[in-house]
Amino acid sequence: MHGHKAPEETERDAVLTVAERLKAVYAGRCAPEEIDAAVATAYAALRDRPVRAFIPVLVERRVRHMLKGPAN
């Protein structure tokens, strides 16, 4: 399994990518720290979900809602 990431690591990487994308989308409207906090909160709320495949998408949706909708 050399070169393969554990599912948890892959999920964390995907959530970090979501955070970076949201920081770019909300630049000038929200501080990067606010985005990180919202992502951490959303991710923590989903930690007990049995199906993990959609966690990054669900995190992004929750954060966008927490930040009051799309930036555009």
Side-chain angles (χ1 to χ4, degrees):
M1 287 193 19
H2 181 69
H4 289 82
K5 292 183 178 183
E8 300 84 17
E9 189 177 359
T10 300
E11 180 179 287
R12 280 191 302 271
D13 288 348
V15 171
L16 289 173
T17 299
V18 166
E20 292 307 311
R21 180 171 49 250
L22 291 169
K23 287 175 191 176
V25 169
Y26 287 92
R29 286 187 40 200
C30 299
E33 298 81 15
E34 183 179 2
I35 303 291
D36 287 337
V39 168
T41 298
Y43 193 34
L46 298 168
R47 74 174 162 251
D48 294 329
R49 296 286 176 107
V51 178
R52 308 304 301 174
F54 300 106
I55 295 298
V57 172
L58 295 172
V59 166
E60 184 166 358
R61 285 185 182 172
R62 284 177 181 241
V63 171
R64 286 180 181 270
H65 179 74
M66 289 167 26
L67 298 175
K68 308 295 185 244
N72 303 48

